[in-house]
Amino acid sequence: MHATPDLDDLIRRVRAEAAQPQYQPARPEPIDPLPPPVHAAPPVPHGAAAPEQHPANSFGDLLLAGDDRDFIERAYLALLHRAPDPDGLAHFGKLLQSGCGRPIVLGALRASPEARNTAAALTGFGLAPWVYLFWRVADKLHLRPLAGLINRGYSAWRNFTLARSGRAFTHLAAALADTRQHGAQLRTRLDDHIVRLDTRLDDQAAVNAARLVECDSTLATRDGALRSELAARLTATITPLAADQARTATALQAQAAEIRLLRACLKILQLRAVDAPPPAVAPGSPPAAPRHDAPPDAEVDTRIDAFYLAFEEAHRGSETEIHARLAPYLQQLAGLPAALLTRPVLDIGCGRGEWLRLLADHGFTATGIDLNPHMVARCRSLGLQVDRADAVAHLASLPTSSHAAISAFHLVEHLPFAVLFQLIEQAWRVLAPGGLLIVETPNPENVLVGSHTFYHDFSHRNPVTPTALQFLAGYHGFEAPHILRLNPYPPEARITDAGALGERVNGHFYGPQDFALCATKPAADA
């Protein structure tokens, strides 16, 4: 415990210290008289002068300042006419935080040499300079309890006087009004800022949207370009592959057909080597039957026969072309039953013998007949077995079920229906079960053929339609007669319009020029 100091000694020491020049007040002021209690002021009439307010730089106003920093800044401005420096702000802030009252801080600033030089007019100090003097002396004499008592006591008394005078409430109301005004200003500024921010956001959103649209457009353009480029590359890659595939498929089909034909030829050779030859037709030509259309003048007939040989040489086409057109029929023969492959094939109206030579080259036993002696002579000069005979009469002379196939190329359009009827009837009898009938004739479905090219040959009677010929074969008992449409006009003759009308025009005018009836005799006789 501290020893109780001697009071006389304490008074003596305080007086000695207070006599020092630094503790002398610059301008002693009278103590503020205690103001009367504050009552509610009567309302001010409209137009009357407002009551006088306390000056903004009075001692009481500074005590009622906001936080410690605001108090220190306002005290500096009132007493020193400047803002506080960092050291002063830190020093007085530390004093306030340690419990030192605001009157002591104001007394310290007023006692400074800088305050004396500025001669600041701050009213209402009262006893504050003396309290600061006693607080300073007590602190210097290490009488901290006494200094604290002086600080707290005077600060409490000044706060009491401020509260009693109503200035604290006035100041609080003013501060509240200032706060509200400041708040309104802040709200206004915040609203303005929000409006500006919204505007900027809207502008930025519009810019972003425009950029997105531009990016989407760019991406779409690039995507379209990439797709087009990819499609072009794929097309450039796939088209040759598809063409190669088509060529390969065509070649494979041709090879498969060739293999089927070779198998048939091989089978013919095997049958001829192992089995006895089938009954052959009696050697020698049968008696020539009278011609159904023989002209009355034999000399004219001979000259006409020579004309038709020349006509075929000029318009039938080369043997290579004829062989190419006849090749599909070899595939039909390749499908014959194996037991029929060594039986003879009869070609009615064999002409120059192109089909007979093609059959002989592939191992078939082929014979032919024709009424034109010039054609027969030419075929015989080529080593072919050909007789001059009438078609119906020759068929009537052949044994029943003796032949593997009977063919007639461009013959039926020369015949009256009665002769055609007998020809199909006799062919069914002569063919062995499973045998094949092939009849080729100009295709009247092609308008140009039916109205024009058919009549190049003076001996043509009338076109025969696929429907009529197919029905005639079925009527005589042939099984599943079907039609092959062959030899269309070349592509350069077709029109280039790819529409439906163009397709129909091309089909009717530039389609197949020939058709063939392919019919099979049932495996068991009816």
Side-chain angles (χ1 to χ4, degrees):
M1 296 180 60
H2 296 287
T4 303
D6 183 63
L7 184 58
D8 293 335
D9 182 59
L10 177 60
I11 293 173
R12 181 183 57 77
R13 290 170 60 187
V14 169
R15 286 179 176 176
E17 183 66 26
Q20 300 295 327
Q22 62 268 28
Y23 299 120
Q24 301 301 316
R27 290 180 297 276
E29 297 179 0
I31 300 175
D32 293 340
L34 216 58
V38 178
H39 299 284
V44 180
H46 181 71
E52 183 180 359
Q53 303 294 327
H54 290 283
N57 59 348
S58 66
F59 186 85
D61 290 335
L62 290 178
L63 292 180
L64 295 173
D67 57 10
D68 290 346
R69 184 182 182 90
D70 182 50
F71 163 72
I72 296 171
E73 290 177 348
R74 294 180 63 179
Y76 262 79
L77 291 174
L79 295 172
L80 304 182
H81 296 173
R82 66 176 177 86
D85 54 278
D87 292 338
L89 187 63
H91 171 70
F92 289 113
K94 187 176 181 180
L95 282 179
L96 292 172
Q97 291 175 2
S98 66
C100 183
R102 291 184 176 184
I104 301 301
V105 174
L106 291 173
L109 284 173
R110 188 175 184 276
S112 66
E114 186 177 354
R116 293 191 180 94
N117 294 332
T118 58
L122 185 63
T123 62
F125 260 91
L127 294 175
W130 301 104
V131 173
Y132 168 69
L133 174 64
F134 285 115
W135 177 83
R136 175 84 178 272
V137 170
D139 185 70
K140 189 171 183 180
L141 296 177
H142 304 290
L143 299 175
R144 296 291 176 85
L146 180 60
L149 180 62
I150 294 171
N151 170 37
R152 292 190 296 274
Y154 185 71
S155 297
W157 181 75
R158 289 309 298 257
N159 291 334
F160 171 75
T161 57
L162 288 173
R164 188 168 178 269
S165 66
R167 293 174 63 187
F169 295 102
T170 303
H171 191 277
L172 181 60
L176 182 58
D178 291 343
T179 302
R180 288 177 177 174
Q181 182 179 4
H182 185 61
Q185 293 175 352
L186 288 178
R187 188 177 296 108
T188 302
R189 292 175 61 188
L190 180 60
D191 291 341
D192 293 342
H193 183 70
I194 290 175
V195 170
R196 290 195 299 270
L197 183 59
D198 288 342
T199 302
R200 292 180 61 187
L201 288 176
D202 291 341
D203 294 342
Q204 188 62 39
V207 172
N208 291 340
R211 289 179 178 175
L212 285 176
V213 171
E214 183 180 359
C215 290
D216 288 342
S217 177
T218 303
L219 289 176
T221 302
R222 291 181 179 178
D223 182 65
L226 288 175
R227 287 176 181 273
S228 300
E229 182 180 358
L230 180 60
R233 290 183 179 180
L234 287 176
T235 302
T237 303
I238 292 174
T239 300
L241 292 177
D244 291 342
Q245 184 179 9
R247 288 193 294 269
T248 302
T250 303
L252 288 175
Q253 291 176 356
Q255 290 176 3
E258 187 67 22
I259 289 172
R260 287 195 300 270
L261 183 59
L262 290 175
R263 285 177 177 174
C265 296
L266 180 61
K267 189 66 176 177
I268 293 172
L269 295 176
Q270 290 175 344
L271 292 174
R272 286 178 177 172
V274 175
D275 301 332
V281 180
S285 302
R291 294 178 54 171
H292 59 267
D293 55 350
D297 190 341
E299 185 179 351
V300 173
D301 179 54
T302 302
R303 294 200 300 272
I304 290 177
D305 289 340
F307 166 81
Y308 274 109
L309 177 60
F311 183 82
E312 256 194 53
E313 293 287 351
H315 296 283
R316 179 70 170 161
S318 66
E319 290 191 8
T320 302
E321 294 172 343
I322 300 303
H323 285 174
R325 291 204 294 265
L326 294 173
Y329 302 115
L330 288 174
Q331 303 303 322
Q332 299 290 327
L333 294 180
L336 288 171
L340 300 184
L341 291 176
T342 56
R343 294 200 178 193
V345 176
L346 174 63
D347 184 28
I348 302 174
C350 61
R352 296 180 299 178
E354 296 94 348
W355 175 235
L356 294 175
R357 292 184 61 184
L358 195 60
L359 290 172
D361 290 342
H362 287 82
F364 290 94
T365 300
T367 62
I369 61 172
D370 201 289
L371 285 176
N372 191 319
H374 298 282
M375 302 289 188
V376 172
R378 174 166 182 164
C379 290
R380 287 178 174 177
S381 68
L382 297 174
L384 302 174
Q385 186 179 346
V386 176
D387 295 323
R388 182 170 181 268
D390 175 79
V392 175
H394 184 74
L395 285 171
S397 68
L398 296 177
T400 300
S401 301
S402 59
H403 280 62
I406 295 175
S407 59
F409 294 96
H410 291 262
L411 173 69
V412 297
E413 65 271 17
H414 296 265
L415 305 177
F417 176 66
V419 177
L420 174 60
F421 185 89
Q422 296 178 70
L423 185 145
I424 301 299
E425 184 179 47
Q426 287 296 327
W428 191 91
R429 182 189 64 82
V430 172
L431 283 172
L436 179 66
L437 173 66
I438 300 173
V439 177
E440 183 184 282
T441 185
N443 183 15
E445 295 172 328
N446 186 311
V447 175
L448 291 178
V449 172
S451 64
H452 177 64
T453 59
F454 179 84
Y455 299 102
H456 287 340
D457 191 336
F458 294 105
S459 63
H460 282 178
R461 295 178 60 88
N462 54 266
V464 179
T465 67
T467 303
L469 192 59
Q470 192 173 25
F471 181 82
L472 181 61
Y475 177 81
H476 282 293
F478 282 96
E479 185 176 57
H482 63 281
I483 301 298
L484 300 179
R485 290 172 172 82
L486 308 164
N487 309 320
Y489 277 88
E492 57 269 18
R494 302 169 66 89
I495 63 174
T496 58
D497 184 2
L501 179 60
E503 289 297 323
R504 295 186 65 180
V505 170
N506 284 329
H508 286 301
F509 285 87
Y510 306 108
Q513 300 178 75
D514 302 304
F515 79 87
L517 170 74
C518 295
T520 303
K521 183 176 180 178
D525 291 348

